[in-house]
Amino acid sequence: MTSGHHGGLRRIVRGITACLWLFLAPVGIVDAKSNTATLERSLKHPSGAFHLKTPMDWQAENLDARPDVWQLSGGGCILRFFYRASESGFDSLHVACMQEFLTDPMDVNPRMKYEHDFVSGDRWDRRFLDSAFVVTYDKPVHGYREWRQWNLTVVGYGESLCSIVYCPSPAWKKSKQLRSVIDAVIDSIEFKGAR
């Protein structure tokens, strides 16, 4: 193959790549220059205790039936946050949050497929527990029976926060961009009283 053919092929690949970035970047999925998630929107928890960033098209809401829950949704995923202005029992809070499902627990298959469970360490200068597993619902929830649930509980400085990320399992497995966005949203959390 001649160098002219190589040059033409490179131009075609660059053109296709540019078209993909033009499509993905505006919806907040990926930044064309850095290949990382772009988070244009800043959202503050109703308590004012922390804020985070999300893609522009994500939505935030308080659930009428659950005043203790702040929920975000975007990219087909749901994020829930349980915040307490006190230091809760570390293990017990994490276990309670792991039992927060998208439907009644009676509609959940009791056999979970764990990726990891009770991983511990420090994050945001606070202690954390981290568990991730796949939940199978008896009936589809938003079109899917299998959802990956990621629970991250942090405690310290007189505060407790449990974040729960629910993503349809097939989408989570197939989309590196989706995983990048979710990681970036969680990483963007900043506490008002950050040390």
Side-chain angles (χ1 to χ4, degrees), residues 47-95:
S47 70
F50 69 92
H51 67 273
L52 51 73
K53 294 182 178 179
T54 71
M56 191 60 73
D57 61 342
W58 281 39
Q59 302 298 316
E61 63 181 318
N62 294 328
L63 302 181
D64 293 337
R66 301 288 306 275
D68 59 331
V69 179
W70 186 49
Q71 180 169 295
L72 309 180
S73 57
C77 298
I78 298 168
L79 283 70
R80 289 183 179 168
F81 297 91
F82 298 84
Y83 172 79
R84 294 179 184 166
S86 62
E87 289 197 30
S88 301
F90 196 36
D91 294 343
S92 59
L93 177 61
H94 190 65
V95 169

Side-chain angles (χ1 to χ4, degrees), residues 18-195:
C19 288
L20 286 172
W21 290 131
L22 285 172
F23 170 74
L24 294 174
V27 296
I29 299 218
V30 70
D31 179 274
K33 293 180 183 175
S34 63
N35 196 23
T36 59
T38 55
L39 309 178
E40 307 98 343
R41 186 175 185 199
S42 184
L43 296 171
K44 186 181 290 187
H45 186 266
S47 70
F50 69 92
H51 67 273
L52 51 73
K53 294 182 178 179
T54 71
M56 191 60 73
D57 61 342
W58 281 39
Q59 302 298 316
E61 63 181 318
N62 294 328
L63 302 181
D64 293 337
R66 301 288 306 275
D68 59 331
V69 179
W70 186 49
Q71 180 169 295
L72 309 180
S73 57
C77 298
I78 298 168
L79 283 70
R80 289 183 179 168
F81 297 91
F82 298 84
Y83 172 79
R84 294 179 184 166
S86 62
E87 289 197 30
S88 301
F90 196 36
D91 294 343
S92 59
L93 177 61
H94 190 65
V95 169
C97 286
M98 287 172 66
Q99 296 172 355
E100 286 288 336
F101 302 115
L102 293 171
T103 64
D104 187 295
M106 296 301 291
D107 298 327
V108 173
N109 185 323
R111 292 185 180 148
M112 312 291 176
K113 300 173 194 168
Y114 283 85
E115 290 179 18
H116 58 268
D117 195 20
F118 276 78
V119 174
S120 62
D122 292 316
R123 190 166 189 164
W124 300 295
D125 201 22
R126 300 158 195 248
R127 294 183 305 149
F128 79 78
L129 283 174
D130 183 338
S131 298
F133 48 94
V134 174
V135 178
T136 302
Y137 293 94
D138 292 342
K139 296 178 182 178
V141 178
H142 302 297
Y144 297 93
R145 288 189 63 223
E146 282 197 354
W147 286 74
R148 181 186 189 266
Q149 181 170 325
W150 174 27
N151 290 73
L152 180 65
T153 305
V154 293
V155 174
Y157 297 108
E159 298 175 297
S160 303
L161 175 66
C162 180
S163 61
I164 307 171
V165 179
Y166 309 90
C167 288
S169 189
W172 181 263
K173 289 176 184 175
K174 291 178 184 176
S175 177
K176 183 177 181 180
Q177 286 85 8
L178 177 62
R179 296 193 298 271
S180 175
V181 168
I182 294 298
D183 288 344
V185 170
I186 295 298
D187 285 343
S188 76
I189 293 174
E190 287 189 27
F191 289 90
K192 181 179 179 182
R195 306 308 191 266

Side-chain angles (χ1 to χ4, degrees), residues 1-14:
M1 190 177 277
T2 65
S3 60
H5 285 97
H6 286 295
L9 183 59
R10 277 195 292 269
R11 282 193 296 280
I12 291 170
V13 170
R14 278 197 301 265

